[in-house]
Amino acid sequence: MKIAYLCCSRFYGGVEKIVIDSLNELCKSEQTALIVPDRCEFLQRLDACVQIYEYKSRDKRYNPFLFAEIYRFLRSGGFEILHSHGAKAAQIGFVVEKFLNLKLVATKHNDRKAPVFDRVRNVIAASRKVATTINHAAKVIYFGIEPRREFVNHEIFARCKDAEDAANRAPKEATCGDSDDAAGASRNMASAAFASQDTPGGACVSQDTPFDADASQNKTSSVFVSQQGANAEPENFKFSIVAVGRLDKIKGFDLLIHAASELKFDFELKIYGQGSERQNLQNLIDSLKLQDRVRLCGFCDDVAAALAAAHLHVISSRKEGFPVILIEGIFYSPVLISTRVGGIPEILDEEFLYNVENLSDKIYEIYTEYEKFVRDFFKKHVGFRDILRLQNYITFLKKYYEELD
């Protein structure tokens, strides 16, 4: 098959990761190409076997010069399938398809209404929730990742269980205790669970290396969230929380920061990402006097390491489709909680979903019963490990292509 992907973004994010990972797998057996705007910033992530075409025309979905430019490229390459990602790409593909002997496929990644997907015949929905926003039958195919074994969370689960078993075997001086005792026990178990956590280079996790919080200064493949207190005494222990995503209002990081301001225990919150809301979020952090506890850490190119090194991963989005960070959390996060948005409840167990107004209470509950949540998170989501693998996604995707009318 000759397959071209169309993506109208210059910047790397969740959708772009899906495009890149898909093409890097498909190019092993098919002739593939990627059509993107010029000055695209993520092309170095592509396999050398993937042909790249950067269009020069003005990037507007109703620009006839853009239609003509993409038409010429597809025709000269003899492509059989054009796979568009996102509403703008779907609109462009919908027009170009009328003049070419190829089949258009459009992937809808979120549950926001976009009429073009009602007109495209072959639509892939990122989740069942997304499929309900399309006025005809769409194929639901969950994306997947190829997990990095050194960060997969079953090792954290095993260490936490060992710590719990050891605590249960220890002589008990009292049959009950107050909430501070429970929190202390949880801190000890969490500390034990992370004590042997290793960095990608094999060094024991410790204080993070300081770096400038400006996003442009932080593009590094070796970013590793500090596990401050991993080897510390209980009185120095700090509960680490992480969130990752584009700094956009829709991601709800302001809600997370407000919830953090209500926490009554020692913690650190690191938010990884870049975007237009950065200054507003920093102003909120400053107004709540959380500068010593909450940091905007800029772009993170090693999400697996960031999730694996934190105690708790939080998705606080106001709206979502089926975010890649959810899939990464299933593999790497010791505990992940999320708002009930998009396709997330299709994967995440009810125990790990929350209402925004109760977020601080949920975090405190996890803090005080940490070993229970680690154990439950692993057991309730381990079955999705096979479903949410990249090779599984590629298998279904190729079958879909082969069965197109």
Side-chain angles (χ1 to χ4, degrees):
M1 287 183 287
K2 293 184 177 181
I3 307 165
Y5 272 41
L6 174 58
C7 178
C8 297
S9 171
R10 289 185 172 87
F11 308 106
Y12 188 71
V15 171
E16 293 70 37
K17 175 178 173 57
I18 292 172
V19 169
I20 294 294
D21 288 359
S22 299
L23 286 171
N24 286 347
E25 284 297 313
L26 289 170
C27 75
K28 296 174 183 177
S29 59
E30 317 297 335
Q31 182 178 328
T32 59
L34 174 61
I35 304 169
V36 289
D38 65 340
R39 304 187 308 278
C40 184
E41 295 185 357
F42 54 83
L43 298 182
Q44 74 280 2
R45 299 173 183 271
L46 271 176
D47 189 285
C49 293
V50 180
Q51 183 182 358
I52 298 170
Y53 181 76
E54 296 181 79
Y55 56 79
K56 304 298 189 296
S57 300
R58 190 179 181 192
D59 192 13
K60 298 293 183 181
R61 67 184 71 189
Y62 296 111
N63 179 4
F65 298 102
L66 177 58
F67 296 154
E69 185 178 351
I70 293 175
Y71 164 84
R72 287 192 296 269
F73 171 74
L74 292 170
R75 183 181 179 185
S76 65
F79 289 98
E80 304 164 78
I81 295 172
L82 174 61
H83 191 155
S84 63
H85 285 262
K88 182 191 287 188
Q91 181 62 54
I92 294 169
F94 180 69
V95 174
V96 170
E97 180 195 27
K98 298 180 184 301
F99 302 95
L100 287 167
N101 183 27
L102 55 65
K103 296 165 184 174
L104 174 65
V105 176
T107 291
K108 192 171 192 292
H109 293 277
N110 58 58
D111 58 8
R112 296 190 292 275
K113 192 63 178 174
V116 65
F117 291 102
D118 296 332
R119 300 195 296 270
V120 174
R121 182 175 182 179
N122 304 305
V123 179
I124 294 174
S127 71
R128 294 196 299 272
K129 177 66 179 297
V130 170
T132 65
T133 67
I134 303 165
N135 288 344
H136 59 81
K139 181 70 172 179
V140 177
I141 307 179
Y142 291 132
F143 182 64
I145 65 171
E146 193 55 47
R148 293 167 58 189
R149 294 180 60 187
E150 67 268 33
F151 296 123
V152 172
N153 56 22
H154 71 268
E155 295 180 1
I156 299 171
F157 162 75
R159 285 198 294 274
C160 202
K161 189 174 187 307
D162 288 345
E164 181 184 13
D165 290 344
N168 289 336
R169 288 194 301 269
K172 292 180 173 56
E173 296 181 0
T175 57
C176 61
D178 60 21
S179 61
D180 289 339
D181 294 333
S186 182
R187 287 196 297 270
N188 290 335
M189 290 186 184
S191 182
F194 281 87
S196 59
Q197 181 83 350
D198 293 334
T199 65
C204 186
V205 178
S206 58
Q207 301 281 352
D208 59 320
T209 302
F211 57 91
D212 192 285
D214 188 282
S216 64
Q217 303 295 320
N218 292 328
K219 292 189 176 182
T220 170
S221 61
S222 61
V223 173
F224 198 73
V225 179
S226 74
Q227 187 50 62
Q228 184 175 3
N231 298 310
E233 295 300 319
E235 61 269 19
N236 297 321
F237 182 81
K238 186 174 288 189
F239 192 78
S240 60
I241 306 167
V242 67
V244 182
R246 185 178 71 259
L247 302 187
D248 187 285
K249 192 75 172 176
I250 203 169
K251 296 297 182 179
F253 293 127
D254 57 321
L255 305 175
L256 176 57
I257 292 168
H258 275 294
S261 70
E262 300 172 359
L263 297 177
K264 305 302 183 185
F265 57 85
D266 200 10
F267 70 93
E268 62 176 2
L269 167 59
K270 294 189 176 182
I271 300 174
Y272 285 91
Q274 53 190 347
S276 59
E277 280 294 299
R278 188 185 188 283
Q279 190 57 57
N280 289 337
L281 293 174
Q282 187 60 58
N283 292 343
L284 178 60
I285 292 167
D286 294 343
S287 68
L288 295 172
K289 297 181 171 49
L290 292 174
Q291 298 93 328
D292 294 336
R293 293 188 167 193
V294 180
R295 290 178 57 195
L296 302 178
C297 298
F299 184 84
C300 176
D301 203 23
D302 199 345
V303 173
L307 299 183
H311 292 107
L312 175 63
H313 170 199
V314 180
I315 296 175
S316 54
S317 300
R318 290 178 166 91
K319 290 184 73 67
E320 279 290 356
F322 191 80
V324 173
I325 194 65
L326 166 69
I327 305 171
E328 292 172 318
I330 292 295
F331 282 98
Y332 304 130
S333 301
V335 182
L336 162 64
I337 59 174
S338 175
T339 46
R340 294 178 174 83
V341 292
I344 293 176
E346 297 171 27
I347 300 296
L348 209 58
D349 184 83
E350 177 64 26
E351 182 181 4
F352 299 91
L353 299 170
Y354 66 86
N355 297 322
V356 170
E357 60 270 21
N358 298 325
L359 176 53
S360 59
D361 292 337
K362 187 68 176 179
I363 294 174
Y364 182 72
E365 181 185 8
I366 292 169
Y367 172 73
T368 56
E369 300 182 69
Y370 188 72
E371 72 287 349
K372 170 191 178 298
F373 280 95
V374 171
R375 181 178 64 246
D376 288 354
F377 183 78
F378 178 82
K379 288 182 176 179
K380 291 183 177 182
H381 301 105
V382 67
F384 287 103
R385 297 286 184 79
D386 291 331
I387 296 171
L388 300 176
R389 286 183 179 272
L390 179 61
Q391 198 53 55
N392 191 55
Y393 171 76
I394 295 298
T395 297
F396 280 107
L397 187 62
K398 290 173 73 171
K399 187 174 186 293
Y400 183 81
Y401 289 155
E402 291 165 358
E403 293 177 351
L404 289 174
D405 296 332

